[in-house]
Amino acid sequence: MSDQEKELQVLRDQIDQIDQQLQTLLNQRAACAQQVAEVKQKYQGSRDAVFYRPEREAQVLRRVMERNTGPLPERDVARLFREVMSACLALEQPMRIAFLGPEGTFTQQAAVKHFGLSAITAPLASLDEVFREVEAGTAHYGVVPIENTSEGMVNHTLHLFSRFRLSIVGEVELNIHHHLLVRPTIDRNAVTRIYATQSALSQCRSWLDAHYPSVERVAVATNADAARQASIETDVGLAAAIGSELAIELYPLQVAVRNIEDQAESSSRFLILGCQDVGPSGHDKTSILVCAHDKPGALYDLLAPFRLRGISLTRIETRTLSGPWSSVFYIDFEGHVSDAPVQALFKDLEAESLELKLLGSYPQAVL
Amino acid sequence: MSDQEKELQVLRDQIDQIDQQLQTLLNQRAACAQQVAEVKQKYQGSRDAVFYRPEREAQVLRRVMERNTGPLPERDVARLFREVMSACLALEQPMRIAFLGPEGTFTQQAAVKHFGLSAITAPLASLDEVFREVEAGTAHYGVVPIENTSEGMVNHTLHLFSRFRLSIVGEVELNIHHHLLVRPTIDRNAVTRIYATQSALSQCRSWLDAHYPSVERVAVATNADAARQASIETDVGLAAAIGSELAIELYPLQVAVRNIEDQAESSSRFLILGCQDVGPSGHDKTSILVCAHDKPGALYDLLAPFRLRGISLTRIETRTLSGPWSSVFYIDFEGHVSDAPVQALFKDLEAESLELKLLGSYPQAVL
C-alpha cells in the first residue's frame, strides 16, 4: 500500500465511523418523530392530527444555522436538515404539495426548497386549481408566487384568498438576478431578438429600452425555454436570452451583460398555503387584508395603529375596488397574531370600523 | 402546559439533542472529506486529483443499506447519505453534470438520483453535446439513457463511444411503469386521442394495438407534456395520456388501466460518462464492444470464453455494420477489469483475433 493509500485509509476509516454514528442518529430521530405522531394521534385523533408544523421546522433550522461551526456552510447544513426532516415526516405522512406549474419554474424550486425532496410536488395549470386542491385536501399544501420586487403583488392570488378558506402558513424567498445571455460566438451588438419570460422582460424593461430599443422581445413560458431558444437558434437571426446564473450552467451560453434588472436585487417571494393555524416561531410575519371606506385620510387612519403599537410593516399594497369598500390594503408586518401588541392592533383597527381579514401568521423565511 | 404538550416537549428535547449530535458529525465528516482532498492533491497534484470516486460511494451506500435497522427505510437513509456525500464533495469541487435534456425528463431524474442535489445538472440538446462537454471538461460527468427493456440499446450512444475518449463510470436504474391516464370525468372507451412520449408509445405498442387500434397516437417530448395535454384538453375531443405514477400525483388524472407496458416490468437504465478509470467496488459491471468477422459461428466463438471463465453476461446486443467487421456486439458482464478471470477473458478474446474496446468497469447500481 502506497503512502497515499495509507493516509487515505485512515481518513476513510474515520468517515466510516462517523457514518455509522450518523445512521444510528438518523434512525433515532425518525423513531422520535414517530412517537411525536403517536402522541398527536392519541390526543387529537388520527383525522385531526397535524404532522407538519412550520413554526417548529423554522426553529430547528434557525438553531442549526446559529450553532454551525463549519466546514459545511450554514446553508448546506440547513438544507441537509431540511431533507432529514422531510424523510422523517414522510414516514408518517408523505406530503403532497401543489404548485403553480409548469415544472422547472422558480415556483417548483421554491416548493422543493421549502418541503425537501421527500415531498411529492404537483404542478397545476392555474392558481385557482392550487387553491382548490389544497382546500379539498387533495394536496396538503400549495405554493404560489406572490410578489417580486418590480411586478408587485400578484393580484389574482390576493383575490383568491376571498374565495377560499385557506391560510398562509409560510413564505419562501428566492434571489434572482437577470443577465443577458448569448452564445459564445455571438457579438451582443448584433442581437436581433431577445427571449425571456414576461416577468423577466418586465423586470428589465428600462435596461432593454435603453440598450435594445428596437430589438424584438419574445415572451416565452419559462426561463429554460428562453435559454434553450437562444442556444439553438442559429438560422433565423442572432438570438439572446434573459436568464439567471442557472441558465449559464445549463445551456451553452455566456453572460454578455450582468445584472440587467432595473432594481439592484430582484427577489421573488412565494407563499405556502394550508388549512391550519401556525403557532409562533419567534420570528414571524402576519399578512392581513384591510378594507377601507373611500374617504380622505383612510390610509393614515389605517397606519396610525401600527405606529402606536410599535409594529414594523414589511409591505403594503393598495387595490382599488368599486362599491362602498373602495380600497383594499394588503399588509405584511412583523409579529404573530398571538402577540399582545398584534392583538391590540387588531382591536384598534376594528375600532376604526375597518374590515379586516387575517390571511395568516407564519415563520419568516429561514433560508 | 397540557399533557399532550408535556409529552411532546420531552420528545422534542430528544430530537434537539439528536440534531446537535448529527450536526457535529456532519461537520466532522466534511472535515475528513477535506483532508482526503488534501492528501490527493499532495500526491497527485491539484490538476490530476480525482475527488469523485464512484466505487467508494457505492461501497458506502451498500454498507448503509446493509446495516440499516429502521425505522427509516433503507432507500430513504441511503438517499440521505447520497446528499451528505454530495454536500461534502461540493465543499471541494461543485460537480457539473451534463445530461440529455430537456429538464423534467427521466434522464434528469437519473442524474439527481446518482449525484444528489448539491450537483449542478445541465440539460443539453443532443447526445453528442453531452459527450463533447464531458470530454472537454466543461462538465465533470454526463448522464445518458442507454436502454429500456423494450426499445433496446440506444444506438447512437454506442456509436458515440467510438468518437469520444470517455469511459462508463457508473449506471443508474429507474423503474418505470406505464398506465393509461384520463380525467376523472371521462369514460375510457370514448377516448379519441392518446398522448405519450415516443418511448412510451413503443413500450405499449401491443396493448395499444389490441385496445385502441384506431385511436390517434400523438408523440410529445416528455411525460409531463403528455399528462398536461390530457388534463387540459376538453374541447377538441377526449384525450388520454400514457404516464407513470408520478403523473397521477402531478396532474388531475386518474389511472384507467394499470401497467399497460408490453413487458411486465419496464426499467430504464442510464450510463454515467466520465474521463476516469474506476477501481473495483466489490459488485461491478464491465461493458465492452467486440467486433467480429462475419463468419459462421462468430457469436459462438465470442461467448465461449465467458462460459470458460465463469463470467455472467448481463446483456448482449448485436449491431450489423458494413465492411469486414460486419458485426459489433455490445456486452455487459459482471466483474471488474482488474479481476483475474476478466483479464484471462480479454486474453481469450484477443486470441480469437477479435477487436475489443473496453467501455468501462463501474459499480453496479446500488439504489
Side-chain angles (χ1 to χ4, degrees), chain A residues 55-304:
Chain A
E55 70 276 32
R56 165 87 188 143
E57 190 170 278
Q59 286 167 339
V60 169
L61 292 178
R62 281 189 207 121
R63 263 200 300 273
V64 162
M65 292 175 78
E66 275 162 22
R67 72 179 170 226
N68 193 51
T69 53
L72 284 173
E74 273 178 24
R75 298 182 68 86
D76 280 14
V77 91
R79 203 172 54 68
L80 286 174
F81 271 89
R82 175 82 79 188
E83 291 301 332
V84 169
M85 288 189 279
S86 180
C88 288
L89 187 63
L91 260 189
E92 291 314 304
Q93 185 187 47
M95 299 268 271
R96 290 190 310 281
I97 312 300
F99 69 94
L100 180 66
E103 289 179 271
T105 57
F106 285 120
T107 312
Q108 183 175 32
Q109 202 174 311
V112 171
K113 182 177 176 188
H114 194 83
F115 289 101
L117 281 176
S118 297
I120 297 155
T121 57
L124 297 180
S126 69
L127 284 169
D128 302 53
E129 283 176 70
V130 175
F131 276 76
R132 201 182 318 132
E133 298 275 300
V134 177
E135 196 179 61
T138 319
H140 294 102
Y141 298 94
V143 181
V144 296
I146 184 68
E147 70 184 50
N148 52 45
T149 320
S150 61
E151 283 196 299
M153 189 65 58
V154 175
N155 277 319
H156 191 50
T157 302
L158 276 189
H159 182 63
L160 288 169
F161 277 110
S162 59
R163 284 179 42 206
F164 292 90
R165 278 172 310 163
L166 294 182
S167 302
I168 304 174
V169 302
E171 62 170 358
V172 192
E173 284 176 357
L174 293 180
N175 281 329
I176 297 162
H177 283 288
H178 294 295
H179 314 309
L180 187 75
L181 311 175
V182 294
R183 289 199 307 284
T185 50
I186 283 189
D187 173 8
R188 78 174 183 86
N189 297 310
V191 163
T192 57
R193 183 181 293 124
I194 295 175
Y195 289 95
T197 63
Q198 194 56 59
S199 151
L201 286 174
S202 105
Q203 288 174 44
C204 304
R205 187 171 296 129
S206 307
W207 189 89
L208 289 170
D209 289 347
H211 296 83
Y212 290 93
S214 55
V215 162
E216 185 188 4
R217 299 173 200 176
V218 183
V220 292
T222 67
N223 287 285
D225 289 340
R228 191 177 309 126
Q229 209 55 41
S231 68
I232 61 176
E233 205 166 271
T234 49
D235 304 328
V236 272
L238 298 175
I242 299 178
S244 64
E245 295 286 347
L246 198 65
I248 322 168
E249 304 284 357
L250 302 187
Y251 295 89
L253 296 173
Q254 65 184 27
V255 175
V257 189
R258 197 164 278 281
N259 300 347
I260 63 172
E261 62 270 11
D262 296 335
Q263 287 176 42
E265 172 121 338
S266 179
S267 90
S268 280
R269 185 160 165 254
F270 304 83
L271 296 180
I272 316 292
L273 310 174
C275 300
Q276 77 198 80
D277 294 331
V278 178
S281 76
H283 297 275
D284 299 286
K285 263 190 195 170
T286 298
S287 298
I288 57 173
L289 284 177
V290 184
C291 296
H293 286 289
D294 186 20
K295 59 168 189 180
L299 187 57
Y300 179 83
D301 291 347
L302 179 64
L303 295 185

Side-chain angles (χ1 to χ4, degrees), chain A residues 4 7 16 19-20 23 27 29 42-44 63-64 67-68 70 72 79 118 121 123 249-250, chain B residues 4 7 16 19-20 23 27 29 42-44 63-64 67-68 70 72 79 117-118 121-123 250:
Chain A
Q4 180 187 359
E7 290 181 43
D16 286 343
D19 283 351
Q20 286 184 41
Q23 188 164 2
N27 276 312
R29 192 193 200 284
K42 184 173 76 179
Y43 288 95
Q44 296 168 20
R63 263 200 300 273
V64 162
R67 72 179 170 226
N68 193 51
L72 284 173
R79 203 172 54 68
S118 297
T121 57
E249 304 284 357
L250 302 187
Chain B
Q4 181 187 359
E7 290 181 42
D16 286 344
D19 282 351
Q20 286 183 41
Q23 187 164 2
N27 276 312
R29 193 193 199 284
K42 184 172 76 178
Y43 287 95
Q44 298 167 19
R63 263 200 299 274
V64 163
R67 73 179 169 224
N68 194 51
L72 283 174
R79 203 172 53 69
L117 281 176
S118 297
T121 57
L250 303 186

Side-chain angles (χ1 to χ4, degrees), chain B residues 52-356:
Chain B
Y52 177 66
R53 294 281 299 275
E55 70 276 34
R56 165 90 188 140
E57 190 169 278
Q59 286 167 338
V60 170
L61 292 178
R62 280 188 208 123
R63 263 200 299 274
V64 163
M65 292 175 78
E66 275 162 23
R67 73 179 169 224
N68 194 51
T69 53
L72 283 174
E74 273 178 24
R75 298 182 67 87
D76 280 14
V77 90
R79 203 172 53 69
L80 287 173
F81 271 88
R82 175 82 81 189
E83 291 301 331
V84 169
M85 288 190 279
S86 179
C88 287
L89 187 62
L91 261 189
E92 291 315 304
Q93 185 188 45
M95 299 267 271
R96 291 190 309 281
I97 312 300
F99 68 94
L100 180 66
E103 290 179 271
T105 56
F106 286 119
T107 312
Q108 183 175 33
Q109 202 174 311
V112 171
K113 182 177 177 190
H114 194 84
F115 288 101
L117 281 176
S118 297
I120 298 155
T121 57
L124 297 181
S126 68
L127 283 169
D128 303 52
E129 283 176 71
V130 175
F131 275 76
R132 201 182 316 133
E133 299 274 299
V134 177
E135 196 180 61
T138 319
H140 294 102
Y141 298 95
V143 181
V144 296
I146 185 67
E147 71 183 50
N148 52 46
T149 319
S150 61
E151 282 196 300
M153 189 64 58
V154 175
N155 276 319
H156 192 50
T157 303
L158 277 189
H159 182 63
L160 288 169
F161 276 110
S162 59
R163 283 179 42 206
F164 292 91
R165 279 174 308 164
L166 294 181
S167 302
I168 304 174
V169 302
E171 62 170 358
V172 192
E173 283 176 358
L174 293 180
N175 281 328
I176 297 162
H177 282 288
H178 293 295
H179 313 310
L180 187 74
L181 311 174
V182 295
R183 290 199 307 284
T185 50
I186 282 188
D187 173 7
R188 78 173 182 86
N189 297 311
V191 163
T192 57
R193 183 182 292 123
I194 295 175
Y195 289 95
T197 62
Q198 194 55 58
S199 151
L201 287 174
S202 105
Q203 289 174 44
C204 304
R205 187 171 296 129
S206 308
W207 189 89
L208 289 171
D209 289 347
H211 296 84
Y212 290 92
S214 56
V215 162
E216 185 188 4
R217 299 172 199 177
V218 183
V220 293
T222 67
N223 288 285
D225 289 340
R228 191 177 309 125
Q229 209 56 39
S231 68
I232 61 176
E233 205 166 272
T234 49
D235 304 330
V236 271
L238 298 175
I242 299 177
S244 63
E245 295 286 346
L246 198 65
I248 322 166
E249 304 284 356
L250 303 186
Y251 295 89
L253 296 173
Q254 65 183 27
V255 175
V257 188
R258 196 164 279 280
N259 301 347
I260 62 171
E261 61 271 10
D262 297 335
Q263 287 175 44
E265 174 122 336
S266 179
S267 90
S268 279
R269 183 160 165 255
F270 304 83
L271 296 180
I272 315 293
L273 310 174
C275 300
Q276 77 198 78
D277 294 330
V278 178
S281 77
H283 296 276
D284 299 286
K285 262 190 197 170
T286 297
S287 298
I288 56 173
L289 284 177
V290 184
C291 296
H293 286 289
D294 186 20
K295 59 167 190 181
L299 187 57
Y300 179 83
D301 291 347
L302 179 63
L303 296 185
F306 286 92
R307 198 165 47 239
L308 177 70
R309 304 297 172 185
I311 292 172
S312 293
L313 292 166
T314 56
R315 184 165 197 99
I316 183 161
E317 296 269 338
T318 311
R319 293 288 164 266
T320 309
L321 306 173
S322 56
W325 298 100
S326 62
S327 289
V328 176
F329 300 97
Y330 168 92
I331 299 172
D332 285 342
F333 57 87
E334 288 179 9
H336 190 274
V337 67
S338 66
D339 299 344
V342 176
Q343 302 211 324
L345 171 83
F346 282 9
K347 285 218 178 69
D348 295 343
L349 292 174
E350 281 159 16
E352 296 286 338
S353 69
L354 294 164
E355 195 154 305
L356 186 147

